[in-house]
Amino acid sequence: MKIDFTHKQAAHCENGVVSNLMRHNGFEVSEPMVFGIGAGLLFSYLPFIKVNHAPVFTYRAMPGLIFNRFAKRTGIKVKREKFNSPMAAKARLDENLKKNNPVGLQVGVYNLPYFPDEYRFHFNAHNMVVYGKDGGNYLISDPVMESVTTLTEKELEKVRFAKGAFAPKGHMYYPIEFPEALELEKAIVKGIKQTCRDMTAPVPIVGVKAMRWVAKNIRKWPDKLGTKKANHYLGQIVRMQEEIGTGGGGFRYIYAAFLQESGKLLNNDALLEHSKEMTIIGDQWRDFAVDASRIYKNRSSQTDAYNKVATQLEAIAKKEEAFFKALRKAV
Amino acid sequence: MKKNEVPQDKSNLESANIKDMYYAVDENGEYTTELSTGWAPKTIALDNAIQDIEERVEEAKAQVLNNKLSPIAYYMELHKMDLGILASYVGFWKWRVKRHFKPAVFKKLTPRTLQKYADAFDISIEELKKVDS
């Protein structure tokens, strides 16, 4: 059985799944639109949680939040199910496929056979759509892939029941109720306001404050942790910023695309200008990554080099702070 | 970033036929998407991370051969896991898994406990008991 489903590659898996599922249900919504309305853009630093033996840096909202907020703001109802037993999870999936309903799944990346070995880490917040079953093989639309692929029953069970942080527990989701027409205008404004609020929040672990905290720590790393660990941490920042699914520059380009599309939709020229500004900020993040990579490539331990990237990061924080304050006033 | 500036560096994505999608502006300033074969700064970061894991695996292996750690510690590193992830796979508290890193404790583990570890690493109990495979 195969559901007539159009696969379209996206930069990021969660936006991509939402965008593809929406299209399947007759609503054309772009990936940046989903990302912006869902207030996906963020910066967060969680030094007390370690992933791959380095602190957590993230440039996006928590997994699942983007779709939830997008759905709430556009009046869509999403059904979500988690399972204790793999058997029950498989049965519910098969049931939905029989009803011609493609579903989104949260999966772990570590056991995805079509990912290159180097990319297979214990990261459990990947998303994909299952749109059919051919004998023992599930038909998979993974938004970060150019074309569709398949997984055997056993392979799919393994990734659906991956363990560790954010364990998916067979998590399956799909939209069940839609408004008559999507009213994006209000949703866009709400999404923008939330991102502005989050990015300028008065707490040290999110937004521009978190960037400043990271910058401060980068200056201390070489003395406190030694070159090897300091470089490993720096590498982790760059990986999180530029990993598959960010669209480049830690999601800043996707956000710029969202601002451009919104500016046109709302006839708001200020948003178009802000889109250009965000593109420049994205370029600065890229420059930061280039300079950081020079440090860990040469394994240099000059404190100077660390100070330089820290200063760069502080400059970006200053720019983003001004940006989000101005953006807040534009809507 | 401009569309024609989207990096097309060599990377390990090629082998799996995956391309990264970027958002970039075209010559008219309109946002569009472009695929990328890779970007050097990112590839270096990933290579370093992989190398770091390989070093951890080698170190764990040496410790097992010196009878300082049980093979569980080695297989954990080999599978890119940390204590939290492994504990979650086998369903034990972290301190218990840590205890199982002790060679003396490992020797006394029941077949049932060993099987849990073997399943987590997708190997047999025989393989779990040695590291030189």
Side-chain angles (χ1 to χ4, degrees), chain A residues 113-146:
Chain A
Y114 53 80
F115 261 40
D117 263 356
E118 299 88 342
Y119 279 83
R120 289 174 44 207
F121 286 94
H122 294 273
F123 171 70
N124 285 332
H126 189 57
N127 291 275
M128 55 166 61
V129 172
V130 184
Y131 68 97
K133 197 175 180 182
D134 181 14
N137 286 332
Y138 285 102
L139 309 178
I140 307 290
S141 154
D142 186 323
V144 305
M145 305 287 287
E146 272 184 274

PDB file of all heavy atoms in Angstrom, chain A residues 113-146:
ATOM      1  N   PRO A 113      20.038   3.497   8.772  1.00  0.00           N
ATOM      2  CA  PRO A 113      21.051   2.919   7.883  1.00  0.00           C
ATOM      3  C   PRO A 113      21.446   3.831   6.734  1.00  0.00           C
ATOM      4  O   PRO A 113      22.550   3.704   6.206  1.00  0.00           O
ATOM      5  CB  PRO A 113      20.380   1.637   7.383  1.00  0.00           C
ATOM      6  CG  PRO A 113      18.932   1.810   7.644  1.00  0.00           C
ATOM      7  CD  PRO A 113      18.787   2.751   8.793  1.00  0.00           C
ATOM      8  N   TYR A 114      20.559   4.742   6.317  1.00  0.00           N
ATOM      9  CA  TYR A 114      20.904   5.552   5.146  1.00  0.00           C
ATOM     10  C   TYR A 114      21.721   6.792   5.505  1.00  0.00           C
ATOM     11  O   TYR A 114      22.092   7.583   4.643  1.00  0.00           O
ATOM     12  CB  TYR A 114      19.647   5.928   4.335  1.00  0.00           C
ATOM     13  CG  TYR A 114      18.540   6.583   5.109  1.00  0.00           C
ATOM     14  CD1 TYR A 114      18.582   7.931   5.415  1.00  0.00           C
ATOM     15  CD2 TYR A 114      17.434   5.848   5.541  1.00  0.00           C
ATOM     16  CE1 TYR A 114      17.568   8.539   6.121  1.00  0.00           C
ATOM     17  CE2 TYR A 114      16.415   6.444   6.252  1.00  0.00           C
ATOM     18  CZ  TYR A 114      16.485   7.794   6.534  1.00  0.00           C
ATOM     19  OH  TYR A 114      15.477   8.390   7.243  1.00  0.00           O
ATOM     20  N   PHE A 115      21.984   7.014   6.797  1.00  0.00           N
ATOM     21  CA  PHE A 115      22.846   8.134   7.191  1.00  0.00           C
ATOM     22  C   PHE A 115      24.303   7.687   7.130  1.00  0.00           C
ATOM     23  O   PHE A 115      24.607   6.547   7.448  1.00  0.00           O
ATOM     24  CB  PHE A 115      22.518   8.567   8.622  1.00  0.00           C
ATOM     25  CG  PHE A 115      21.613   9.762   8.712  1.00  0.00           C
ATOM     26  CD1 PHE A 115      20.545   9.897   7.845  1.00  0.00           C
ATOM     27  CD2 PHE A 115      21.830  10.750   9.658  1.00  0.00           C
ATOM     28  CE1 PHE A 115      19.706  10.989   7.923  1.00  0.00           C
ATOM     29  CE2 PHE A 115      20.990  11.852   9.744  1.00  0.00           C
ATOM     30  CZ  PHE A 115      19.931  11.974   8.878  1.00  0.00           C
ATOM     31  N   PRO A 116      25.217   8.589   6.717  1.00  0.00           N
ATOM     32  CA  PRO A 116      26.629   8.206   6.751  1.00  0.00           C
ATOM     33  C   PRO A 116      27.057   7.928   8.196  1.00  0.00           C
ATOM     34  O   PRO A 116      26.553   8.574   9.116  1.00  0.00           O
ATOM     35  CB  PRO A 116      27.360   9.430   6.211  1.00  0.00           C
ATOM     36  CG  PRO A 116      26.346  10.460   5.902  1.00  0.00           C
ATOM     37  CD  PRO A 116      25.000   9.947   6.248  1.00  0.00           C
ATOM     38  N   ASP A 117      27.958   6.980   8.372  1.00  0.00           N
ATOM     39  CA  ASP A 117      28.427   6.580   9.708  1.00  0.00           C
ATOM     40  C   ASP A 117      28.806   7.773  10.572  1.00  0.00           C
ATOM     41  O   ASP A 117      28.496   7.834  11.752  1.00  0.00           O
ATOM     42  CB  ASP A 117      29.658   5.677   9.579  1.00  0.00           C
ATOM     43  CG  ASP A 117      29.252   4.223   9.672  1.00  0.00           C
ATOM     44  OD1 ASP A 117      28.049   3.980   9.913  1.00  0.00           O
ATOM     45  OD2 ASP A 117      30.124   3.352   9.504  1.00  0.00           O
ATOM     46  N   GLU A 118      29.512   8.733   9.954  1.00  0.00           N
ATOM     47  CA  GLU A 118      30.019   9.879  10.716  1.00  0.00           C
ATOM     48  C   GLU A 118      28.896  10.721  11.296  1.00  0.00           C
ATOM     49  O   GLU A 118      29.103  11.498  12.213  1.00  0.00           O
ATOM     50  CB  GLU A 118      30.892  10.774   9.828  1.00  0.00           C
ATOM     51  CG  GLU A 118      32.118  10.102   9.262  1.00  0.00           C
ATOM     52  CD  GLU A 118      31.821   9.402   7.945  1.00  0.00           C
ATOM     53  OE1 GLU A 118      30.633   9.140   7.645  1.00  0.00           O
ATOM     54  OE2 GLU A 118      32.774   9.107   7.215  1.00  0.00           O
ATOM     55  N   TYR A 119      27.709  10.597  10.721  1.00  0.00           N
ATOM     56  CA  TYR A 119      26.600  11.428  11.174  1.00  0.00           C
ATOM     57  C   TYR A 119      25.701  10.708  12.166  1.00  0.00           C
ATOM     58  O   TYR A 119      24.728  11.252  12.651  1.00  0.00           O
ATOM     59  CB  TYR A 119      25.766  11.906   9.981  1.00  0.00           C
ATOM     60  CG  TYR A 119      26.392  13.087   9.296  1.00  0.00           C
ATOM     61  CD1 TYR A 119      27.397  12.914   8.366  1.00  0.00           C
ATOM     62  CD2 TYR A 119      26.000  14.382   9.621  1.00  0.00           C
ATOM     63  CE1 TYR A 119      28.004  14.002   7.758  1.00  0.00           C
ATOM     64  CE2 TYR A 119      26.594  15.467   9.028  1.00  0.00           C
ATOM     65  CZ  TYR A 119      27.592  15.270   8.090  1.00  0.00           C
ATOM     66  OH  TYR A 119      28.190  16.351   7.499  1.00  0.00           O
ATOM     67  N   ARG A 120      26.028   9.435  12.422  1.00  0.00           N
ATOM     68  CA  ARG A 120      25.141   8.664  13.288  1.00  0.00           C
ATOM     69  C   ARG A 120      25.532   8.829  14.746  1.00  0.00           C
ATOM     70  O   ARG A 120      26.390   8.137  15.246  1.00  0.00           O
ATOM     71  CB  ARG A 120      25.135   7.208  12.834  1.00  0.00           C
ATOM     72  CG  ARG A 120      24.388   7.042  11.512  1.00  0.00           C
ATOM     73  CD  ARG A 120      24.488   5.654  10.959  1.00  0.00           C
ATOM     74  NE  ARG A 120      24.286   4.666  11.979  1.00  0.00           N
ATOM     75  CZ  ARG A 120      24.791   3.449  11.931  1.00  0.00           C
ATOM     76  NH1 ARG A 120      25.522   3.090  10.919  1.00  0.00           N
ATOM     77  NH2 ARG A 120      24.558   2.610  12.897  1.00  0.00           N
ATOM     78  N   PHE A 121      24.888   9.796  15.398  1.00  0.00           N
ATOM     79  CA  PHE A 121      25.063  10.012  16.817  1.00  0.00           C
ATOM     80  C   PHE A 121      23.764   9.684  17.533  1.00  0.00           C
ATOM     81  O   PHE A 121      22.735   9.498  16.900  1.00  0.00           O
ATOM     82  CB  PHE A 121      25.457  11.475  17.080  1.00  0.00           C
ATOM     83  CG  PHE A 121      26.870  11.769  16.685  1.00  0.00           C
ATOM     84  CD1 PHE A 121      27.173  12.279  15.437  1.00  0.00           C
ATOM     85  CD2 PHE A 121      27.905  11.510  17.564  1.00  0.00           C
ATOM     86  CE1 PHE A 121      28.479  12.536  15.066  1.00  0.00           C
ATOM     87  CE2 PHE A 121      29.212  11.757  17.204  1.00  0.00           C
ATOM     88  CZ  PHE A 121      29.501  12.272  15.961  1.00  0.00           C
ATOM     89  N   HIS A 122      23.842   9.633  18.868  1.00  0.00           N
ATOM     90  CA  HIS A 122      22.623   9.337  19.627  1.00  0.00           C
ATOM     91  C   HIS A 122      21.781  10.596  19.762  1.00  0.00           C
ATOM     92  O   HIS A 122      21.704  11.201  20.811  1.00  0.00           O
ATOM     93  CB  HIS A 122      22.974   8.746  20.986  1.00  0.00           C
ATOM     94  CG  HIS A 122      23.613   7.404  20.851  1.00  0.00           C
ATOM     95  ND1 HIS A 122      22.880   6.248  20.772  1.00  0.00           N
ATOM     96  CD2 HIS A 122      24.896   7.044  20.699  1.00  0.00           C
ATOM     97  CE1 HIS A 122      23.704   5.222  20.620  1.00  0.00           C
ATOM     98  NE2 HIS A 122      24.938   5.687  20.570  1.00  0.00           N
ATOM     99  N   PHE A 123      21.208  11.000  18.649  1.00  0.00           N
ATOM    100  CA  PHE A 123      20.362  12.171  18.621  1.00  0.00           C
ATOM    101  C   PHE A 123      18.941  11.698  18.319  1.00  0.00           C
ATOM    102  O   PHE A 123      18.695  11.085  17.282  1.00  0.00           O
ATOM    103  CB  PHE A 123      20.856  13.141  17.544  1.00  0.00           C
ATOM    104  CG  PHE A 123      19.921  14.271  17.295  1.00  0.00           C
ATOM    105  CD1 PHE A 123      19.764  15.265  18.254  1.00  0.00           C
ATOM    106  CD2 PHE A 123      19.174  14.344  16.134  1.00  0.00           C
ATOM    107  CE1 PHE A 123      18.883  16.303  18.041  1.00  0.00           C
ATOM    108  CE2 PHE A 123      18.297  15.389  15.920  1.00  0.00           C
ATOM    109  CZ  PHE A 123      18.152  16.367  16.874  1.00  0.00           C
ATOM    110  N   ASN A 124      18.025  11.947  19.265  1.00  0.00           N
ATOM    111  CA  ASN A 124      16.711  11.301  19.168  1.00  0.00           C
ATOM    112  C   ASN A 124      15.574  12.187  18.695  1.00  0.00           C
ATOM    113  O   ASN A 124      14.416  11.845  18.845  1.00  0.00           O
ATOM    114  CB  ASN A 124      16.331  10.718  20.530  1.00  0.00           C
ATOM    115  CG  ASN A 124      17.107   9.457  20.816  1.00  0.00           C
ATOM    116  OD1 ASN A 124      17.502   8.761  19.889  1.00  0.00           O
ATOM    117  ND2 ASN A 124      17.350   9.183  22.080  1.00  0.00           N
ATOM    118  N   ALA A 125      15.899  13.328  18.148  1.00  0.00           N
ATOM    119  CA  ALA A 125      14.812  14.232  17.762  1.00  0.00           C
ATOM    120  C   ALA A 125      14.775  14.450  16.257  1.00  0.00           C
ATOM    121  O   ALA A 125      14.535  15.544  15.775  1.00  0.00           O
ATOM    122  CB  ALA A 125      14.943  15.555  18.502  1.00  0.00           C
ATOM    123  N   HIS A 126      15.018  13.381  15.510  1.00  0.00           N
ATOM    124  CA  HIS A 126      14.894  13.474  14.069  1.00  0.00           C
ATOM    125  C   HIS A 126      13.436  13.182  13.692  1.00  0.00           C
ATOM    126  O   HIS A 126      12.733  12.506  14.431  1.00  0.00           O
ATOM    127  CB  HIS A 126      15.838  12.467  13.404  1.00  0.00           C
ATOM    128  CG  HIS A 126      15.932  12.640  11.925  1.00  0.00           C
ATOM    129  ND1 HIS A 126      16.323  13.824  11.345  1.00  0.00           N
ATOM    130  CD2 HIS A 126      15.672  11.786  10.900  1.00  0.00           C
ATOM    131  CE1 HIS A 126      16.302  13.680  10.028  1.00  0.00           C
ATOM    132  NE2 HIS A 126      15.911  12.458   9.731  1.00  0.00           N
ATOM    133  N   ASN A 127      13.000  13.717  12.568  1.00  0.00           N
ATOM    134  CA  ASN A 127      11.610  13.519  12.152  1.00  0.00           C
ATOM    135  C   ASN A 127      11.526  13.027  10.714  1.00  0.00           C
ATOM    136  O   ASN A 127      12.342  13.417   9.888  1.00  0.00           O
ATOM    137  CB  ASN A 127      10.831  14.841  12.256  1.00  0.00           C
ATOM    138  CG  ASN A 127      10.634  15.271  13.690  1.00  0.00           C
ATOM    139  OD1 ASN A 127       9.711  14.842  14.349  1.00  0.00           O
ATOM    140  ND2 ASN A 127      11.537  16.107  14.185  1.00  0.00           N
ATOM    141  N   MET A 128      10.518  12.197  10.457  1.00  0.00           N
ATOM    142  CA  MET A 128      10.310  11.687   9.104  1.00  0.00           C
ATOM    143  C   MET A 128       8.827  11.384   8.911  1.00  0.00           C
ATOM    144  O   MET A 128       8.060  11.360   9.874  1.00  0.00           O
ATOM    145  CB  MET A 128      11.106  10.400   8.905  1.00  0.00           C
ATOM    146  CG  MET A 128      10.787   9.351   9.946  1.00  0.00           C
ATOM    147  SD  MET A 128      11.364   7.683   9.575  1.00  0.00           S
ATOM    148  CE  MET A 128      13.099   7.860   9.471  1.00  0.00           C
ATOM    149  N   VAL A 129       8.434  11.175   7.657  1.00  0.00           N
ATOM    150  CA  VAL A 129       7.062  10.769   7.377  1.00  0.00           C
ATOM    151  C   VAL A 129       7.080   9.333   6.850  1.00  0.00           C
ATOM    152  O   VAL A 129       7.950   8.975   6.064  1.00  0.00           O
ATOM    153  CB  VAL A 129       6.398  11.697   6.326  1.00  0.00           C
ATOM    154  CG1 VAL A 129       5.038  11.157   5.895  1.00  0.00           C
ATOM    155  CG2 VAL A 129       6.262  13.107   6.873  1.00  0.00           C
ATOM    156  N   VAL A 130       6.129   8.510   7.320  1.00  0.00           N
ATOM    157  CA  VAL A 130       5.931   7.196   6.716  1.00  0.00           C
ATOM    158  C   VAL A 130       4.691   7.311   5.845  1.00  0.00           C
ATOM    159  O   VAL A 130       3.635   7.752   6.323  1.00  0.00           O
ATOM    160  CB  VAL A 130       5.718   6.097   7.772  1.00  0.00           C
ATOM    161  CG1 VAL A 130       5.625   4.740   7.103  1.00  0.00           C
ATOM    162  CG2 VAL A 130       6.867   6.091   8.761  1.00  0.00           C
ATOM    163  N   TYR A 131       4.832   6.948   4.564  1.00  0.00           N
ATOM    164  CA  TYR A 131       3.696   7.161   3.659  1.00  0.00           C
ATOM    165  C   TYR A 131       3.238   5.872   2.973  1.00  0.00           C
ATOM    166  O   TYR A 131       2.486   5.929   2.002  1.00  0.00           O
ATOM    167  CB  TYR A 131       4.033   8.240   2.629  1.00  0.00           C
ATOM    168  CG  TYR A 131       5.091   7.845   1.621  1.00  0.00           C
ATOM    169  CD1 TYR A 131       4.736   7.372   0.359  1.00  0.00           C
ATOM    170  CD2 TYR A 131       6.430   7.926   1.950  1.00  0.00           C
ATOM    171  CE1 TYR A 131       5.703   6.997  -0.550  1.00  0.00           C
ATOM    172  CE2 TYR A 131       7.406   7.556   1.045  1.00  0.00           C
ATOM    173  CZ  TYR A 131       7.031   7.097  -0.208  1.00  0.00           C
ATOM    174  OH  TYR A 131       7.995   6.713  -1.106  1.00  0.00           O
ATOM    175  N   GLY A 132       3.668   4.719   3.526  1.00  0.00           N
ATOM    176  CA  GLY A 132       3.180   3.485   2.925  1.00  0.00           C
ATOM    177  C   GLY A 132       4.014   2.291   3.339  1.00  0.00           C
ATOM    178  O   GLY A 132       4.978   2.420   4.103  1.00  0.00           O
ATOM    179  N   LYS A 133       3.590   1.124   2.871  1.00  0.00           N
ATOM    180  CA  LYS A 133       4.305  -0.089   3.214  1.00  0.00           C
ATOM    181  C   LYS A 133       4.295  -1.000   2.008  1.00  0.00           C
ATOM    182  O   LYS A 133       3.262  -1.177   1.363  1.00  0.00           O
ATOM    183  CB  LYS A 133       3.608  -0.776   4.393  1.00  0.00           C
ATOM    184  CG  LYS A 133       4.465  -1.792   5.096  1.00  0.00           C
ATOM    185  CD  LYS A 133       3.741  -2.312   6.311  1.00  0.00           C
ATOM    186  CE  LYS A 133       4.602  -3.330   7.034  1.00  0.00           C
ATOM    187  NZ  LYS A 133       3.915  -3.891   8.197  1.00  0.00           N
ATOM    188  N   ASP A 134       5.467  -1.524   1.693  1.00  0.00           N
ATOM    189  CA  ASP A 134       5.592  -2.384   0.529  1.00  0.00           C
ATOM    190  C   ASP A 134       6.170  -3.700   1.024  1.00  0.00           C
ATOM    191  O   ASP A 134       7.357  -3.796   1.285  1.00  0.00           O
ATOM    192  CB  ASP A 134       6.522  -1.690  -0.478  1.00  0.00           C
ATOM    193  CG  ASP A 134       6.688  -2.516  -1.747  1.00  0.00           C
ATOM    194  OD1 ASP A 134       5.877  -3.457  -1.934  1.00  0.00           O
ATOM    195  OD2 ASP A 134       7.612  -2.231  -2.513  1.00  0.00           O
ATOM    196  N   GLY A 135       5.295  -4.721   1.176  1.00  0.00           N
ATOM    197  CA  GLY A 135       5.739  -5.966   1.781  1.00  0.00           C
ATOM    198  C   GLY A 135       6.191  -5.693   3.196  1.00  0.00           C
ATOM    199  O   GLY A 135       5.453  -5.149   4.002  1.00  0.00           O
ATOM    200  N   GLY A 136       7.451  -6.024   3.522  1.00  0.00           N
ATOM    201  CA  GLY A 136       7.960  -5.770   4.871  1.00  0.00           C
ATOM    202  C   GLY A 136       8.667  -4.432   5.009  1.00  0.00           C
ATOM    203  O   GLY A 136       9.253  -4.145   6.038  1.00  0.00           O
ATOM    204  N   ASN A 137       8.628  -3.623   3.957  1.00  0.00           N
ATOM    205  CA  ASN A 137       9.362  -2.360   3.988  1.00  0.00           C
ATOM    206  C   ASN A 137       8.441  -1.147   4.122  1.00  0.00           C
ATOM    207  O   ASN A 137       7.452  -1.027   3.400  1.00  0.00           O
ATOM    208  CB  ASN A 137      10.185  -2.193   2.717  1.00  0.00           C
ATOM    209  CG  ASN A 137      11.402  -3.081   2.711  1.00  0.00           C
ATOM    210  OD1 ASN A 137      11.937  -3.416   3.773  1.00  0.00           O
ATOM    211  ND2 ASN A 137      11.828  -3.479   1.535  1.00  0.00           N
ATOM    212  N   TYR A 138       8.804  -0.262   5.040  1.00  0.00           N
ATOM    213  CA  TYR A 138       8.055   0.990   5.156  1.00  0.00           C
ATOM    214  C   TYR A 138       8.617   2.014   4.179  1.00  0.00           C
ATOM    215  O   TYR A 138       9.831   2.103   3.977  1.00  0.00           O
ATOM    216  CB  TYR A 138       8.152   1.525   6.584  1.00  0.00           C
ATOM    217  CG  TYR A 138       7.286   0.751   7.547  1.00  0.00           C
ATOM    218  CD1 TYR A 138       7.835  -0.194   8.411  1.00  0.00           C
ATOM    219  CD2 TYR A 138       5.908   0.966   7.572  1.00  0.00           C
ATOM    220  CE1 TYR A 138       7.040  -0.909   9.282  1.00  0.00           C
ATOM    221  CE2 TYR A 138       5.102   0.258   8.452  1.00  0.00           C
ATOM    222  CZ  TYR A 138       5.673  -0.682   9.309  1.00  0.00           C
ATOM    223  OH  TYR A 138       4.873  -1.379  10.163  1.00  0.00           O
ATOM    224  N   LEU A 139       7.716   2.781   3.562  1.00  0.00           N
ATOM    225  CA  LEU A 139       8.140   3.828   2.632  1.00  0.00           C
ATOM    226  C   LEU A 139       8.341   5.108   3.433  1.00  0.00           C
ATOM    227  O   LEU A 139       7.436   5.573   4.125  1.00  0.00           O
ATOM    228  CB  LEU A 139       7.086   4.037   1.542  1.00  0.00           C
ATOM    229  CG  LEU A 139       6.626   2.755   0.830  1.00  0.00           C
ATOM    230  CD1 LEU A 139       5.550   3.067  -0.200  1.00  0.00           C
ATOM    231  CD2 LEU A 139       7.813   2.060   0.160  1.00  0.00           C
ATOM    232  N   ILE A 140       9.540   5.648   3.351  1.00  0.00           N
ATOM    233  CA  ILE A 140       9.945   6.744   4.225  1.00  0.00           C
ATOM    234  C   ILE A 140      10.232   8.012   3.426  1.00  0.00           C
ATOM    235  O   ILE A 140      10.937   7.968   2.415  1.00  0.00           O
ATOM    236  CB  ILE A 140      11.264   6.365   4.967  1.00  0.00           C
ATOM    237  CG1 ILE A 140      11.127   5.026   5.684  1.00  0.00           C
ATOM    238  CG2 ILE A 140      11.696   7.489   5.902  1.00  0.00           C
ATOM    239  CD1 ILE A 140      10.215   5.027   6.864  1.00  0.00           C
ATOM    240  N   SER A 141       9.682   9.106   3.888  1.00  0.00           N
ATOM    241  CA  SER A 141      10.033  10.412   3.340  1.00  0.00           C
ATOM    242  C   SER A 141      10.767  11.166   4.437  1.00  0.00           C
ATOM    243  O   SER A 141      10.171  11.682   5.366  1.00  0.00           O
ATOM    244  CB  SER A 141       8.756  11.144   2.907  1.00  0.00           C
ATOM    245  OG  SER A 141       8.939  12.544   2.945  1.00  0.00           O
ATOM    246  N   ASP A 142      12.102  11.175   4.317  1.00  0.00           N
ATOM    247  CA  ASP A 142      12.925  11.883   5.302  1.00  0.00           C
ATOM    248  C   ASP A 142      13.276  13.247   4.707  1.00  0.00           C
ATOM    249  O   ASP A 142      13.956  13.323   3.693  1.00  0.00           O
ATOM    250  CB  ASP A 142      14.202  11.075   5.577  1.00  0.00           C
ATOM    251  CG  ASP A 142      15.025  11.674   6.697  1.00  0.00           C
ATOM    252  OD1 ASP A 142      15.076  12.913   6.793  1.00  0.00           O
ATOM    253  OD2 ASP A 142      15.623  10.904   7.471  1.00  0.00           O
ATOM    254  N   PRO A 143      12.806  14.322   5.323  1.00  0.00           N
ATOM    255  CA  PRO A 143      12.921  15.644   4.697  1.00  0.00           C
ATOM    256  C   PRO A 143      14.351  16.097   4.406  1.00  0.00           C
ATOM    257  O   PRO A 143      14.542  16.964   3.566  1.00  0.00           O
ATOM    258  CB  PRO A 143      12.298  16.593   5.727  1.00  0.00           C
ATOM    259  CG  PRO A 143      11.498  15.741   6.616  1.00  0.00           C
ATOM    260  CD  PRO A 143      12.121  14.389   6.610  1.00  0.00           C
ATOM    261  N   VAL A 144      15.350  15.542   5.096  1.00  0.00           N
ATOM    262  CA  VAL A 144      16.701  16.003   4.783  1.00  0.00           C
ATOM    263  C   VAL A 144      17.307  15.250   3.593  1.00  0.00           C
ATOM    264  O   VAL A 144      18.389  15.599   3.128  1.00  0.00           O
ATOM    265  CB  VAL A 144      17.674  15.934   5.996  1.00  0.00           C
ATOM    266  CG1 VAL A 144      17.110  16.693   7.173  1.00  0.00           C
ATOM    267  CG2 VAL A 144      18.007  14.515   6.367  1.00  0.00           C
ATOM    268  N   MET A 145      16.593  14.234   3.082  1.00  0.00           N
ATOM    269  CA  MET A 145      17.094  13.479   1.939  1.00  0.00           C
ATOM    270  C   MET A 145      16.489  14.029   0.645  1.00  0.00           C
ATOM    271  O   MET A 145      15.362  14.513   0.638  1.00  0.00           O
ATOM    272  CB  MET A 145      16.717  12.001   2.055  1.00  0.00           C
ATOM    273  CG  MET A 145      17.155  11.332   3.346  1.00  0.00           C
ATOM    274  SD  MET A 145      18.907  11.051   3.418  1.00  0.00           S
ATOM    275  CE  MET A 145      19.064   9.697   2.246  1.00  0.00           C
ATOM    276  N   GLU A 146      17.276  13.910  -0.441  1.00  0.00           N
ATOM    277  CA  GLU A 146      16.768  14.407  -1.712  1.00  0.00           C
ATOM    278  C   GLU A 146      15.576  13.608  -2.204  1.00  0.00           C
ATOM    279  O   GLU A 146      14.653  14.153  -2.800  1.00  0.00           O
ATOM    280  CB  GLU A 146      17.878  14.365  -2.772  1.00  0.00           C
ATOM    281  CG  GLU A 146      18.723  15.620  -2.792  1.00  0.00           C
ATOM    282  CD  GLU A 146      19.737  15.594  -3.917  1.00  0.00           C
ATOM    283  OE1 GLU A 146      20.817  15.035  -3.700  1.00  0.00           O
ATOM    284  OE2 GLU A 146      19.442  16.121  -4.992  1.00  0.00           O
TER     285      GLU A 146
END
